[in-house]
Amino acid sequence: SEPAWLRFGKLLDGALGAAMSARHAAGGCLLAALCLAGHASQQVVDQGIRVAFDASQPSGAGAPAAFRFELSDTASGTPLRGLRPAAWLSRRAPGAAAPDCKARLAGYLSGDLFRRADIDLNSFFVLTLNDDATVSVVDPMFGFGGTRLLNLLHLPASGADWLLLADHAMLLVTMPDEGAVAVIDTRHWRIVDTLPTGARPRRLVAAGNRVWVADQRGVSAIDPAVRTVKAVALDGGAIGLAASADGHWLFAAAGGKVAIIDAHAGRVVREAVPGGVPTLLAYSRAAQAIYAVDAQQGRVYAIDSHTGRTTATVDVRPGATQLRFTPDGRYALLPNPGENIVQVFDAATNRLAHTIPIAGQPDQVTFSDRLAYVRRRGSEIVLMIALEQLGNQTGALGIAEFPSGQHAFGAPTGVIADNLVSAPEGASVLAANAVDRMVYLYREGMAAPAGGFRTYAQTPRAVMVVNQGLREVGQGAYATTMPVAQPGQYDVVMFNDAPRVVACFSAALGSEAAPSGRPAVQVTSIDAPPQLAVGSSVRLRFALFDAAGAPLPPAADVRALALAPPGIWQQRLSAIALPQSRYEIEFTPPQAGVYYVWIESESLGLPRNNAQFKTYHAN
């Protein structure tokens, strides 16, 4: 008899042909495992701008749906980059007519509490890492003048640093007193695992397909897809961590050396010995070099990241607490609370460009696209330096300020994570004031904070934004995933302010949960690339687990189907078996668009027509 994959392929070919002939029908399912909004890409043109939209969702009530908008100029076809589109979905009552698009948009923009969207694709949450071993999850609702505490997560021990993964679906928190890292699911706001590391884990950095932790045995490599930990021993343990811009190299300051680690292979390839005892590390993508600071002696070392050779040594004042590069990677700022200065280092010349006197013990720097924000231990006033001034030797740098509370920030206590971070609402920052027990929102150009909220009796030591709204994932493409609790027909409104564009669509989303519950075989994507390149070969990796989460035994018949809906291209692939029940496939996307990948194995009981397809985007 025919193999299952061939039988399904024939069914798929027929289903795709029918879908293409009925592509203008509203709603409908392309496959039992995949429901698309209308057809693969609905399009609207407004003010000379084309907006394409599609939505996809695996079967199962409450499953996350993937939403994607692509904006381009109709005259030239140029993708529109750097926008901040907003979108909302409201479930339409059965039998009801489609609402007026612009009237619905006006209700969303006015903040009408009685016309809130069922699904808000603009949502972001503010998290605070508190001194009582908790993490507060707050919906700030700045547009509605209030806040809402969504959850208070209790960690096994106090946190020191945290890292949000690129897809914003998982948050890791180091706990030095526990010798472990907590894993938080940010879709459901719960702690799902605690992973043991070396003693006293602190700094976290993402590189390669792993999250790296500095601890007293060296570094611990965490594979977030399967939650395994591998130790890489370094003499004296690791203090500082940094990663190259492409994520291929990890750098660890340990025992007076800088270990250069292949982040994909997970091994030390060379060691740099710059002199002194480096404790602060930062990578400059402009110079393509790693910079190490011996804060006690007051020296900055420029190290060639490929050879490990020290190319320059620059004297600075002892006592720096950070080394932070501007977004373009050229200038590094070194706040120094003991000397009451911020020094500016130029990676283009490997020279000191500025020594800025700043009273109040400056100890932390963060950036927006235009400004450097300087936090001070001895003041509640945050200072701002325009990045365009850096390197200007003709006069003193202009400094602006805004108040962030009623009391001084104070010195950090056991936390190395930032309490001054960029906010998703354009050019703005969030500042956590532990003494005030407040988080303040400041928008650039204002004289005072635009809003703020109390932290429900918790003392915040660090703050973070988890943006679950639309993010730019490619040239002119903006996407996110969001759970859909109720199945039905949804009206979709997308709005962009500059240039001003309004586009409305419909999406049939959701289905009843499968009666069998959790699938017998679970397919997990590992280190999924954020974007595929058209015409370039890509390798995708997967892991297969049983319903309890245990790795399945190796199988020789694991195959894959890669599909570009609505059937314009498909390819069947054999998977290469890797250790730990992992598999790899390779294909070349022939054109821009959405690609779906299914994994199947007869011997493991995983049919091709399962609901666990994976979605990728190519440009």
Side-chain angles (χ1 to χ4, degrees):
S1 60
E2 293 180 328
W5 66 266
L6 182 57
R7 293 197 302 273
F8 180 71
K10 291 180 177 180
L11 291 173
L12 178 65
D13 291 339
L16 290 173
M20 291 177 69
S21 64
R23 62 183 299 166
H24 295 293
C29 288
L30 180 64
L31 296 172
L34 171 63
C35 287
L36 293 179
H39 49 81
S41 180
Q42 303 176 57
Q43 295 190 16
V44 167
V45 175
D46 183 43
Q47 308 296 321
I49 295 173
R50 177 178 290 106
V51 182
F53 165 74
D54 75 66
S56 61
Q57 183 189 22
S59 61
F67 302 94
R68 181 181 175 95
F69 298 87
E70 296 184 3
L71 286 80
S72 59
D73 178 74
T74 55
S76 64
T78 303
L80 300 182
R81 305 186 62 182
L83 304 183
R84 296 183 181 275
W88 303 264
L89 288 84
S90 290
R91 187 170 178 267
R92 190 189 304 176
D100 179 82
C101 174
K102 293 191 176 180
R104 181 62 63 93
L105 173 63
Y108 296 145
L109 295 179
S110 68
D112 187 344
L113 292 175
F114 297 100
R115 302 182 68 179
R116 296 288 298 274
D118 294 304
I119 302 174
D120 188 343
L121 299 187
N122 323 296
S123 61
F124 70 92
F125 305 97
V126 177
L127 277 60
T128 58
L129 187 60
N130 307 316
D131 66 353
D132 61 350
T134 61
V135 174
S136 298
V137 182
V138 176
D139 180 355
M141 297 192 295
F142 288 121
F144 302 101
T147 62
R148 183 162 57 110
L149 181 65
L150 298 180
N151 211 334
L152 185 66
L153 305 175
H154 293 270
L155 300 170
S158 295
D161 195 17
W162 51 5
L163 178 71
L164 184 66
L165 298 192
D167 62 1
H168 289 207
M170 187 181 294
L171 173 68
L172 281 73
V173 185
T174 55
M175 301 176 291
D177 292 342
E178 188 75 7
V181 170
V183 181
I184 297 174
D185 175 356
T186 61
R187 296 297 182 192
H188 301 91
W189 298 119
R190 62 174 182 247
I191 299 172
V192 295
D193 212 341
T194 301
L195 306 176
T197 63
R200 309 294 300 173
R202 290 180 65 77
R203 180 66 71 191
L204 286 163
V205 167
N209 58 351
R210 300 175 175 90
V211 174
W212 299 82
V213 188
D215 54 46
Q216 289 186 353
R217 69 184 177 190
V219 290
S220 295
I222 297 175
D223 186 330
V226 293
R227 299 182 209 158
T228 57
V229 182
K230 177 184 177 181
V232 178
L234 300 173
D235 290 342
I239 303 172
L241 288 181
S244 60
D246 61 5
H248 186 84
W249 301 106
L250 176 79
F251 309 97
K257 303 176 183 178
V258 176
I260 302 176
I261 299 170
D262 185 325
H264 295 288
R267 60 184 179 85
V268 178
V269 295
R270 64 185 62 88
E271 289 182 332
V273 186
V277 183
T279 56
L280 304 175
L281 297 177
Y283 183 83
S284 167
R285 62 186 183 89
Q288 296 187 14
I290 183 70
Y291 287 82
V293 177
D294 183 334
Q296 184 173 359
Q297 294 188 31
R299 289 194 179 92
V300 178
Y301 302 99
I303 300 171
D304 186 301
S305 58
H306 298 288
T307 65
R309 185 173 61 89
T310 301
T311 58
T313 301
V314 181
D315 289 334
V316 295
R317 302 271 189 92
T321 54
Q322 280 186 336
L323 175 69
R324 289 281 173 89
F325 275 98
T326 53
D328 64 2
R330 175 169 178 178
Y331 294 101
L333 275 66
L334 295 88
N336 191 320
E339 297 285 336
N340 283 313
I341 57 172
V342 171
Q343 295 189 279
V344 181
F345 176 85
D346 186 350
T349 61
N350 284 332
R351 293 179 179 177
L352 201 61
H354 303 280
T355 296
I356 309 169
I358 293 180
Q361 300 177 287
D363 68 347
Q364 188 181 125
V365 175
T366 194
F367 300 100
S368 69
D369 291 338
R370 299 190 309 113
L371 298 176
Y373 293 85
V374 182
R375 191 201 91 135
R376 300 180 293 166
R377 296 176 180 176
S379 176
E380 75 282 6
I381 305 297
V382 176
L383 303 183
M384 297 174 287
I385 304 170
L387 298 183
E388 64 182 11
Q389 297 184 89
L390 300 182
N392 180 7
Q393 302 295 332
T394 60
L397 301 182
I399 297 178
E401 63 182 43
F402 73 90
S404 185
Q406 304 298 319
H407 302 88
F409 283 104
T413 55
V415 174
I416 58 176
D418 292 343
N419 69 356
L420 185 67
V421 299
S422 294
E425 294 189 334
S428 55
V429 293
L430 289 167
N433 190 311
V435 182
D436 285 8
R437 293 187 176 181
M438 288 282 293
V439 175
Y440 297 96
L441 170 70
Y442 172 77
R443 294 192 177 100
E444 291 179 6
M446 302 185 70
F453 58 87
R454 297 197 176 276
T455 54
Y456 299 91
Q458 311 301 318
T459 301
R461 296 298 181 185
V463 65
M464 172 182 286
V465 174
V466 177
N467 186 359
Q468 294 186 345
L470 293 169
R471 298 187 298 277
E472 189 167 8
V473 296
Q475 294 189 2
Y478 304 85
T480 188
T481 59
M482 195 73 67
V484 178
Q486 288 185 295
Q489 189 74 23
Y490 284 82
D491 296 302
V492 183
V493 179
M494 192 227 73
F495 171 72
N496 190 77
D497 188 36
R500 197 171 185 85
V501 182
V502 179
C504 291
F505 308 94
S506 64
L509 295 170
S511 62
E512 295 301 323
S516 58
R518 176 177 287 186
V521 179
Q522 301 180 70
V523 181
T524 300
S525 177
I526 299 176
D527 194 25
Q531 194 79 22
L532 309 184
V534 173
S536 297
S537 176
V538 61
R539 294 183 179 181
L540 305 176
R541 293 190 296 158
F542 305 87
L544 304 181
F545 304 93
D546 62 20
L552 291 169
D557 64 341
V558 177
R559 296 176 56 85
L561 169 68
L563 163 71
I568 56 176
W569 177 90
Q570 59 178 284
Q571 186 175 0
R572 294 177 174 85
L573 308 158
S574 295
I576 299 173
L578 303 174
Q580 297 181 329
S581 194
R582 301 181 183 188
Y583 299 87
E584 182 179 85
I585 65 169
E586 183 175 2
F587 75 95
T588 302
Q591 62 186 51
V594 179
Y595 288 81
Y596 301 103
V597 176
W598 281 266
I599 302 296
E600 69 97 24
S601 169
E602 284 189 88
S603 64
L604 296 177
L606 182 65
R608 175 66 59 80
N609 56 337
N610 66 80
Q612 301 182 75
F613 69 94
K614 306 301 176 185
T615 306
Y616 304 90
H617 301 278
N619 269 328

